[in-house]
């Protein structure tokens, strides 16, 4: 069974940093592209970032470009999202999702990031 | 930019059929696949339809997807509604000309 478990969310002040993790199981992690998708409170889904299997291709939404960094550790079956210079409008549930950039096959339950003073 | 528009909410009684639309703002919605996701509070989102009309294993055949090029829209149809179908549903596609992911605004399905 495919499982994706996110962690690392929490309360952080504006301008602060946070690092999210997503541990995968039930499939060969290194064979699949991965993404981060977020949902702000009461809002819809927003794709955040993508990483290819070999880390050679990275994409970011304009809203996070230059502030967020996606990475992966295939040996540990984990996906990471380093978030710097956080703003109030980054407050959201962050989901990791398996799949190419145009389709999300499996999702985790998400981790809540709250940016507030 | 390419956008997908969904109704904010739909409601229907158990056992009935409901259809959720997803209308493209420009171009042809048939140019890229449309996928549908179900979001329930406290649960991981799941794919109910992928690539316009394909159903993942484990998703009941009460769920179906289609594309209507004449109205530039995709549709998710759920027949034989059950209480457990109550959730938010999002359509998603991809603007290949600009390399970005597009989500619809989501539709809240209420089973009365």
């Amino acid at each position: 069974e495919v499982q994706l478990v996110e962690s690392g969310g929490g309360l952080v002040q504006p301008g602060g940093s946070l690092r999210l993790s997503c541990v995968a199981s039930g499939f060969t992690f290194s064979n699949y592209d991965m993404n981060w998708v977020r949902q702000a409170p009461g809002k819809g889904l927003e794709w955040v970032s993508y990483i290819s299997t070999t880390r050679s291709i990275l994409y970011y939404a304009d809203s996070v470009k230059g502030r967020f960094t996606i990475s992966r550790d295939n040996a540990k079956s984990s996906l990471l999202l380093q978030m710097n210079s956080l703003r109030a409008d980054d407050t959201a549930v962050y989901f990791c999702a398996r799949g190419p950039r145009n389709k999300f096959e499996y999702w985790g339950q998400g981790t809540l990031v709250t940016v507030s003073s | 930019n390419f956008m997908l528009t969904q109704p904010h909410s739909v409601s229907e009684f158990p056992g009935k059929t409901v259809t959720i639309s997803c209308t493209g703002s420009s171009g042809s919605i048939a140019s890229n696949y449309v996928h549908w996701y179900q979001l329930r509070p406290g649960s991981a989102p799941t794919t109910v339809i992928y690539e316009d009309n394909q159903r993942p294993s484990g998703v009941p055949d009460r769920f179906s997807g289609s594309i209507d090029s004449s109205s530039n829209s995709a549709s998710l149809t759920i027949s034989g509604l059950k209480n457990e179908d109550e959730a938010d549903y999002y359509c998603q596609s991809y603007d290949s000309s600009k390399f970005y992911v597009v989500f619809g605004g989501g539709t809240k399905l209420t089973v009365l």
Side-chain angles (χ1 to χ4, degrees):
Chain A
E1 180 193 5
V2 171
Q3 283 201 321
L4 299 167
V5 180
E6 302 93 337
S7 62
L11 175 63
V12 60
Q13 292 189 337
S17 298
L18 214 52
R19 190 190 199 205
L20 305 184
S21 297
C22 169
V23 175
S25 60
F27 65 101
T28 303
F29 180 75
S30 58
N31 289 349
Y32 291 89
D33 301 337
M34 296 295 295
N35 297 267
W36 287 99
V37 179
R38 68 184 181 183
Q39 183 178 32
K43 303 292 186 182
L45 296 170
E46 179 190 18
W47 169 80
V48 173
S49 186
Y50 159 93
I51 186 168
S52 63
T53 54
T54 59
R55 300 183 288 268
S56 59
I57 301 174
L58 308 177
Y59 290 118
Y60 297 94
D62 288 343
S63 57
V64 307
K65 203 172 293 183
R67 300 186 299 122
F68 289 12
T69 302
I70 191 171
S71 61
R72 64 190 294 161
D73 184 337
N74 287 338
K76 295 182 179 179
S77 297
S78 65
L79 176 71
L80 304 169
L81 185 68
Q82 178 66 43
M83 304 187 296
N84 298 331
S85 303
L86 283 162
R87 312 185 302 221
D89 61 0
D90 293 319
T91 295
V93 175
Y94 285 74
F95 300 99
C96 67
R98 190 188 93 174
R101 190 158 171 255
N102 58 356
K103 180 172 68 175
F104 310 111
E105 304 160 334
Y106 293 94
W107 303 61
Q109 281 198 311
T111 186
L112 175 62
V113 172
T114 303
V115 184
S116 175
S117 54
Chain B
N1 289 342
F2 181 65
M3 290 172 31
L4 296 172
T5 300
Q6 300 179 233
H8 181 70
S9 63
V10 295
S11 58
E12 190 50 271
F13 291 96
K16 298 295 188 180
T17 296
V18 69
T19 296
I20 299 172
S21 62
C22 171
T23 303
S25 62
S26 62
S28 172
I29 200 167
S31 298
N32 290 284
Y33 285 126
V34 175
H35 318 289
W36 291 90
Y37 307 103
Q38 179 190 69
L39 274 71
R40 290 201 197 102
S43 298
T46 59
T47 302
V48 292
I49 293 290
Y50 68 97
E51 295 177 1
D52 297 341
N53 54 20
Q54 302 299 302
R55 204 169 41 249
S57 60
V59 174
D61 60 6
R62 301 185 295 104
F63 289 79
S64 62
S66 62
I67 297 290
D68 181 355
S69 296
S70 65
S71 60
N72 207 37
S73 65
S75 293
L76 171 69
T77 299
I78 310 171
S79 60
L81 271 174
K82 298 185 176 184
N83 290 334
E84 67 204 45
D85 298 330
E86 189 163 287
D88 293 331
Y89 291 86
Y90 288 83
C91 60
Q92 177 256 311
S93 189
Y94 184 72
D95 187 335
S96 55
S97 65
K98 297 184 178 179
F99 304 102
Y100 75 90
V101 177
V102 183
F103 283 103
T107 298
K108 181 177 181 59
L109 168 62
T110 300
V111 181
L112 300 168

